Amino acid sequence: MEQKMWHQMNTEELQQALSVDGSSGLSSVEANKRLEIHGPNELSEGEKVSPIALFLNQFKDFMVLVLMGATLISGLLGEYLDAITIVAIIVINGILGFVQEFRAERSLRALKKLSAPAAHVLRDNEVIQIPADQLVPGDVVLLESGDRIPADIRWTETNSCDVEESALTGESVPVSKHASPIDEASIPLGDQRNFGFMGTMVTRGTGRGIVVRTGMNTEMGKIADLIQQTESMETPLQHRLEQLGKILIVVALGLTVMVVIAGIMHGQPAYGMFLAGVSLAVAAIPEGLPAIVTIALALGVQRMIKRKAIVRKLPSVETLGCASVICSDKTGTLTQNKMTVTHMWLGGRLLQVSGEGYEPIGHILEDNNKAVDLKNDQALRRLMQIAALCNNASLAEGYHSEKPKKKVKEESSSTWEIKGDPTEGALVVLASKAGVTQQSLNGMYERVCEFPFDSERKRMSVQLKHQGGQLIYSKGAPDMLLEQCAYILWDGKVVPFTGTLRQKVLAANEGMAKSALRVLGMAYREVRSYEEVANENDAECNLIFVGLTGMIDPPRKEVRDAISKCRRAGIKTVMITGDHQTTAEAIANQLGIIQRGGMLLTGQQLENMSDDDLDQKVDDTYVYARVSPEHKLRIVKSLQRKGHVVAMTGDGVNDAPAIKAADIGIAMGITGTDVSKEASALILSDDNFSTIVAAIEEGRGIYENIRKFIRYLLASNVGEILTMFIAMMLGFPLPLVPIQILWVNLVTDGLPAMALGVDQAEKDLMEQRPRGAKENIFARRLGWKIISRGILIGVFTLLAFWLTLRVDPNSAEQLVKAQSVAFATLVMAQLIHVFDCRSSRSIFHRNILQNRYLVLAVLSSIVLLLAVLYIEPLQPVFKTMPLDLRDWAITLVAAGVPTFVMGIGSVLTGGKPRKTTPTQKRSPLIKSTNIRA
């Protein structure tokens, strides 16, 4: 005989398995023995890394080592300002990396905060309070409303006990608990109604349970273990920059050595060529690249804050920009996390209820969208009274004031909150929309007693005094409530509840339930003067059925458009939720998540799948329902194995492992737990899925800007190297002296490159497919553009040098003028080329004045160039001399040809069209459900 699972055992079997008497609890001696065996009831944080080690780890990166080498070279050349700048860059990057990693490792500490600090247990036949970390398997724990469950317990006794488990299971509303065994061996966490899990909260009633798992063996402990085992992914940007750095070092040093050797072979002095070579190496390696990337990302972070997204890790914005799949939790992310009554059924009529959230503003409408007249509708009026009075929740209004904008008076806006059970709160809001408030009824009705909801009756009733008589108002699960009803309110009259009418009610209930609505029935009766109501059986008999209410946690209204925008951008949206399949499917269909041909998988199906099976289906699956934290992690890893860059959103503890494992983890700022926030890279301060779309757009724009200034810097550096290399190969004098090479590097690589980092995105950015996770930084013809423009810049700079030098090749003064012309040509060619880098097509396809920061940066660079050429004290330092009109004519023509010739060619050919998202194939899919009875 197979051993039963904890949830399959009855109370006697449970006590026997754990060797405990449920009426007296463990003895203190036995509890101490078990504590030595099982250890403290706490979550371990795993192996800790010291802050010093974390900080030192930041300096092992390849690009950091390159920067250190550049620092040494700059110091040897006497360029102390450059050396100090590079050291500052290294230190700032190290501090930023340290802060990010240190904050990320606080996930487990936040998880530990969810553990209860103390627990009431039965030991030695006495109820005592002990620290929760002293609990052991077999302890009998007593819990009441407001208590946090201190360990995984199996309920042995419950009294109207509801537990809030959304952070662990994703369940939208508190779950009613019971003590009865469950026959199924394999069952999702959300359906284990006879279990209480560590870290969840009792919201109503009382209960007693026996501890079956403690510490790292609990469901919360499993999540802690998953977080420890999950390694944070290296972002695509980090990978590409490391790859780029290695390429640049090898190429730049190789070409520099060749320049030096060629110069010496053609009779140039060895010392001068060595200085020129070192200067060329410093100029060729863009040591400012990490700083510009950091600045671009930091400015992107500031823009994201304005768009309600808080970035905890700088590269995360760029990573989100190449996301191909967004895995989103349902409750509170795609939906409002506010149970709302959307439909009612009364006497054969299906009514709709408008309005969203807890704000008591809305209308009750018939099929023709005509508002129902409450005064003349007895059934509706009665249903509203039951909704308001057979209820322990309340609706409260608060206020928050927004900061005044320019010339706008400060305004206060109200916020509405529910105090109590969300399901009951939805009924209070419904009644308030019809003008029936608890406050207006309190003077007319007086509660005599309450018969609270329990998991067996699945009903709640109240006994009320009204106008000298008494009433019973009841609500509950329709199937259970109908058994107690002998009459029905139909067309304004109380008539016998015939079999035909009963079938109509059941059909209406089934239709609403299929649409994923949580359905409650409403009934009442008048208490006769001679009746005595002693218990619920006396109260809940011969009831008059009034109608049904259907409620759901509604989707956020802006999410559908956001998902549609993601689809146009080639990004797949996947819903992963702990909620039931029916609810998940209905929400997914409303939001347009499931595409034709798409699939829905449940946690039970995932359990029976191998990783290979999941990999085969993951691309075609859009919704996962009734899943556990382990399932979420499997889904994310499966998508990553298929080559996707995965963004994972969520707000609960159960989302934390998958959030950390994803390429970018996104947590909810309002409803999110500390655990999910600490595991994330991005926090949405408004809990709004549409903010993710803004982040994607920002991320794509930042990455394209990084590509723009890489294109600019490297094409410029290729031009500088080739100018020197070709000159040495042809036996020319040096076209640029070392100080001029360094000055070109300073003038052109600084402000213009930074201005490209804040450039506006091109209009069709969000119509592109996501770039591949393994895409090379030089992909999409970027490498060709760098090489071709670099060659043209180098050739035309050398041509300007030769045209000036040939006037008098043997004159030292003419050589200085030729070097000045080459110097000016190189600078101007790069400053013209920077505008070409703004477009994927050509300089003529974008307004060159649009980026005013770039215009100012270029003007400032031109001023610095003119200063070196025309200020007499600077001329001996930089080996320059003033240029005349002929010189400037040569300079400007040679500088403009590389950019304008290529631009004219692009215009004549119409420009290379940018790739757009391919139309997705459509085929039959899961049918959406219509609410009709």
Side-chain angles (χ1 to χ4, degrees):
M1 182 178 177
E2 292 185 8
Q3 186 176 359
K4 289 185 176 181
M5 307 287 286
W6 293 120
H7 62 266
Q8 293 178 292
M9 297 181 183
N10 59 36
T11 303
E12 291 73 23
E13 292 171 329
L14 187 67
Q15 293 181 32
Q16 184 177 357
L18 290 166
S19 302
V20 62
D21 183 350
S23 60
S24 59
L26 295 173
S27 67
S28 299
V29 175
E30 177 63 22
N32 288 332
K33 288 181 181 178
R34 296 189 183 190
L35 185 62
E36 290 183 9
I37 296 171
H38 297 282
N41 175 40
E42 61 183 10
L43 304 180
S44 71
E45 294 186 29
E47 185 178 347
K48 294 183 179 180
V49 181
S50 71
I52 295 175
L54 269 181
F55 183 71
L56 293 177
N57 286 340
Q58 309 307 314
F59 301 97
K60 294 180 180 179
D61 183 76
F62 181 76
M63 278 301 287
V64 171
L65 297 177
V66 170
L67 289 177
M68 289 179 176
T71 305
L72 178 62
I73 294 172
S74 297
L76 292 175
L77 286 171
E79 298 298 324
Y80 301 115
L81 183 59
D82 276 2
I84 293 170
T85 303
I86 297 170
V87 169
I89 291 168
I90 293 171
V91 173
I92 291 171
N93 284 342
I95 292 172
L96 286 173
F98 166 74
V99 170
Q100 290 163 8
E101 287 193 31
F102 184 75
R103 292 179 64 184
E105 294 307 315
R106 293 190 303 187
S107 303
L108 294 171
R109 290 176 229 171
L111 194 62
K112 292 184 74 173
K113 292 179 183 177
L114 291 179
S115 304
H120 289 91
V121 299
L122 189 62
R123 285 190 181 174
D124 299 315
N125 205 26
E126 289 185 12
V127 178
I128 60 172
Q129 180 173 312
I130 64 169
D133 61 5
Q134 300 298 304
L135 281 175
V136 295
D139 262 326
V140 179
V141 180
L142 286 74
L143 295 155
E144 60 183 24
S145 179
D147 287 346
R148 195 176 288 280
I149 298 176
D152 283 2
I153 67 169
R154 168 70 160 77
W155 296 105
T156 57
E157 181 183 322
T158 59
N159 181 23
S160 303
C161 184
D162 288 357
V163 178
E164 169 61 54
E165 296 181 339
S166 62
L168 181 67
T169 66
E171 188 75 53
S172 308
V173 295
V175 179
S176 298
K177 295 295 183 178
H178 61 78
S180 304
I182 300 173
D183 293 333
E184 293 180 65
S186 179
I187 185 170
L189 289 182
D191 292 333
Q192 294 182 20
R193 299 299 176 95
N194 57 8
F195 246 92
F197 301 106
M198 174 191 268
T200 60
M201 180 80 75
V202 178
T203 59
R204 183 170 69 171
T206 60
R208 174 183 294 207
I210 298 177
V211 175
V212 296
R213 294 186 291 257
T214 60
M216 294 298 287
N217 293 319
T218 63
E219 293 300 328
M220 197 72 74
K222 292 178 183 177
I223 293 175
D225 188 51
L226 288 174
I227 293 175
Q228 289 178 11
Q229 294 177 9
T230 303
E231 295 182 1
S232 298
M233 300 294 292
E234 182 186 50
T235 71
L237 179 63
Q238 291 169 325
H239 176 73
R240 292 185 183 101
L241 284 181
E242 184 176 356
Q243 187 182 49
L244 174 62
K246 293 176 180 177
I247 294 171
L248 293 182
I249 293 299
V250 173
V251 173
L253 292 182
L255 288 175
T256 301
V257 169
M258 291 176 68
V259 168
V260 173
I261 293 172
I264 294 174
M265 289 177 63
H266 284 85
Q268 297 289 339
Y271 177 72
M273 285 308 304
F274 173 75
L275 284 181
V278 172
S279 300
L280 197 57
V282 172
I285 299 170
E287 67 277 359
L289 181 60
I292 296 173
V293 170
T294 301
I295 291 169
L297 290 173
L299 292 172
V301 166
Q302 295 303 313
R303 290 194 295 270
M304 287 308 305
I305 289 173
K306 294 178 182 178
R307 301 177 80 168
K308 308 295 184 184
I310 301 168
V311 178
R312 298 182 66 249
K313 300 177 182 178
L314 282 180
S316 63
V317 178
E318 177 273 333
T319 313
L320 188 58
C322 61
S324 56
V325 177
I326 300 176
C327 295
S328 176
D329 185 36
K330 178 185 74 68
T331 304
T333 309
L334 299 173
T335 64
Q336 300 177 28
N337 200 19
K338 295 178 179 179
M339 291 299 290
T340 305
V341 176
T342 58
H343 291 80
M344 291 187 293
W345 186 91
L346 296 94
R349 297 176 298 156
L350 183 69
L351 307 178
Q352 295 186 21
V353 184
S354 65
E356 295 183 347
Y358 294 147
E359 189 173 11
I361 297 177
H363 300 284
I364 298 167
L365 308 169
E366 302 208 48
D367 278 343
N368 57 7
N369 284 331
K370 182 181 178 182
V372 178
D373 183 4
L374 183 65
K375 293 181 180 178
N376 299 318
D377 196 319
Q378 181 185 348
L380 181 59
R381 198 164 58 248
R382 181 70 72 178
L383 187 144
M384 293 302 170
Q385 291 170 359
I386 298 170
L389 295 172
C390 187
N391 203 316
N392 290 317
S394 61
L395 182 64
E397 183 179 13
Y399 291 90
H400 72 271
S401 59
E402 299 179 353
K403 292 182 179 180
K405 298 179 181 178
K406 294 180 181 179
K407 300 182 181 180
V408 178
K409 293 182 179 179
E410 184 173 352
E411 297 180 358
S412 294
S413 58
S414 60
T415 56
W416 295 85
E417 296 179 352
I418 288 297
K419 295 182 178 179
D421 182 80
T423 301
E424 292 195 329
L427 295 175
V428 173
V429 174
L430 170 67
S432 298
K433 287 178 180 178
V436 180
T437 64
Q438 294 169 322
Q439 292 79 3
S440 66
L441 296 175
N442 282 340
M444 301 164 59
Y445 295 85
E446 180 184 347
R447 183 180 287 197
V448 176
C449 67
E450 175 188 342
F451 304 103
F453 177 92
D454 67 47
S455 56
E456 294 181 5
R457 288 169 41 247
K458 294 185 178 180
R459 297 185 299 273
M460 170 191 174
S461 299
V462 292
Q463 184 177 350
L464 304 162
K465 285 183 180 179
H466 176 61
Q467 296 180 350
Q470 293 194 4
L471 293 168
I472 300 293
Y473 280 172
S474 298
K475 73 171 188 292
D479 54 340
M480 302 296 285
L481 188 64
L482 289 176
E483 294 177 2
Q484 311 304 314
C485 295
Y487 305 93
I488 185 171
L489 197 56
W490 192 272
D491 287 336
K493 298 177 182 179
V494 177
V495 299
F497 206 178
T498 63
T500 302
L501 293 175
R502 191 177 296 269
Q503 285 302 315
K504 288 185 177 182
V505 174
L506 290 172
N509 175 48
E510 184 179 357
M512 295 171 80
K514 281 183 177 178
S515 297
L517 296 178
R518 184 184 179 93
V519 186
L520 288 179
M522 305 286 184
Y524 79 102
R525 77 177 181 88
E526 296 181 3
V527 179
R528 296 178 176 87
S529 57
Y530 56 82
E531 277 189 274
E532 182 178 346
V533 180
N535 53 47
E536 60 267 18
N537 293 327
D538 294 336
E540 297 168 348
C541 63
N542 295 319
L543 295 172
I544 303 168
F545 185 79
V546 178
L548 302 170
T549 60
M551 63 186 71
I552 196 169
D553 179 12
R556 292 176 178 270
K557 59 183 179 181
E558 66 280 352
V559 168
R560 185 179 179 88
D561 289 340
I563 289 172
S564 177
K565 191 171 184 179
C566 282
R567 191 177 303 118
R568 292 196 303 273
I571 301 165
K572 176 183 176 183
T573 303
V574 177
M575 178 196 291
I576 306 179
T577 178
D579 243 334
H580 290 279
Q581 176 180 346
T582 307
T583 305
E585 184 180 332
I587 294 294
N589 278 316
Q590 288 182 45
L591 293 174
I593 289 176
I594 305 181
Q595 298 300 289
R596 293 185 180 180
M599 296 170 59
L600 181 150
L601 293 177
T602 64
Q604 194 73 44
Q605 291 170 313
L606 285 173
E607 282 292 333
N608 298 324
M609 282 185 183
S610 66
D611 285 346
D612 289 339
D613 292 336
L614 179 58
D615 290 349
Q616 291 178 10
K617 294 186 176 182
V618 73
D619 278 335
D620 296 322
T621 305
Y622 289 81
V623 178
Y624 298 87
R626 220 61 180 149
V627 296
S628 68
E630 291 90 345
H631 294 149
K632 294 184 179 186
L633 191 55
R634 280 189 67 197
I635 294 164
V636 168
K637 289 186 173 180
S638 178
L639 286 164
Q640 289 172 333
R641 285 195 297 272
K642 297 290 283 186
H644 292 289
V645 175
V646 183
M648 173 71 196
T649 74
D651 59 356
V653 175
N654 59 329
D655 300 316
I659 285 175
K660 187 175 181 183
D663 297 278
I664 176 168
I666 308 169
M668 302 297 109
I670 300 173
T671 58
T673 59
D674 286 344
V675 183
S676 62
K677 291 176 185 175
E678 290 295 342
S680 69
L682 186 74
I683 299 174
L684 307 183
S685 62
D686 59 355
D687 284 16
N688 194 331
F689 182 87
S690 62
T691 303
I692 299 172
V693 181
I696 289 172
E697 191 168 2
E698 196 68 53
R700 287 189 174 190
I702 287 173
Y703 184 75
E704 289 306 311
N705 285 349
I706 290 171
R707 279 171 51 91
K708 287 175 188 177
F709 60 66
I710 286 176
R711 172 184 170 184
Y712 170 64
L713 288 177
L714 297 192
S716 299
N717 291 355
V718 167
E720 294 169 21
I721 292 175
L722 289 181
T723 299
M724 299 292 286
F725 180 73
I726 296 173
M728 294 303 97
M729 288 299 182
L730 295 176
F732 286 2
L734 279 178
L736 298 167
V737 297
I739 190 67
Q740 290 174 345
I741 296 173
L742 292 173
W743 185 250
V744 170
N745 189 50
L746 176 65
V747 169
T748 62
D749 286 7
L751 293 177
M754 289 184 184
L756 277 179
V758 295
D759 196 31
Q760 298 86 350
E762 294 193 70
K763 292 180 180 179
D764 58 353
L765 184 67
M766 287 301 286
E767 302 297 326
Q768 311 305 309
R769 288 175 296 194
R771 60 186 177 276
K774 297 181 180 179
E775 180 186 280
N776 190 286
I777 194 77
F778 299 112
R780 289 177 276 149
R781 302 181 76 245
L782 181 63
W784 162 249
K785 290 176 182 177
I786 290 171
I787 293 171
S788 61
R789 301 309 192 274
I791 290 174
L792 288 174
I793 289 171
V795 168
F796 278 90
T797 298
L798 194 59
L799 180 61
F801 172 75
W802 177 75
L803 287 173
T804 307
L805 182 64
R806 68 192 290 259
V807 173
D808 188 359
N810 299 317
S811 168
E813 183 179 348
Q814 193 65 30
L815 175 61
V816 173
K817 174 166 278 196
Q819 289 173 333
S820 298
V821 168
F823 173 52
T825 301
L826 192 60
V827 171
M828 292 304 298
Q830 293 179 16
L831 295 180
I832 293 172
H833 175 60
V834 75
F835 292 102
D836 188 32
C837 294
R838 295 185 62 236
S839 173
S840 59
R841 284 163 282 192
S842 78
I843 192 172
F844 301 112
H845 285 86
R846 298 200 70 181
N847 179 2
I848 63 172
L849 300 179
Q850 183 183 17
N851 186 340
R852 63 178 183 274
Y853 298 109
L854 183 59
V855 173
L856 291 173
V858 168
L859 289 176
S860 65
S861 296
I862 292 174
V863 169
L864 290 174
L865 169 64
L866 295 176
V868 170
L869 292 173
Y870 290 99
I871 297 177
E872 288 188 12
L874 296 179
Q875 291 170 357
V877 176
F878 291 94
K879 307 294 188 294
T880 60
M881 62 185 300
L883 305 184
D884 55 30
L885 289 178
R886 177 182 178 279
D887 300 329
W888 275 114
I890 294 173
T891 295
L892 295 177
V893 170
V897 166
T899 295
F900 288 110
V901 168
M902 299 297 285
I904 292 170
S906 178
V907 171
L908 292 176
T909 58
K912 186 175 177 63
R914 292 165 66 85
K915 294 180 181 179
T916 55
T917 306
T919 305
Q920 296 182 355
K921 295 181 180 179
R922 298 187 175 274
S923 56
L925 173 69
I926 304 170
K927 295 179 180 177
S928 58
T929 312
N930 293 321
I931 306 171
R932 286 290 179 269

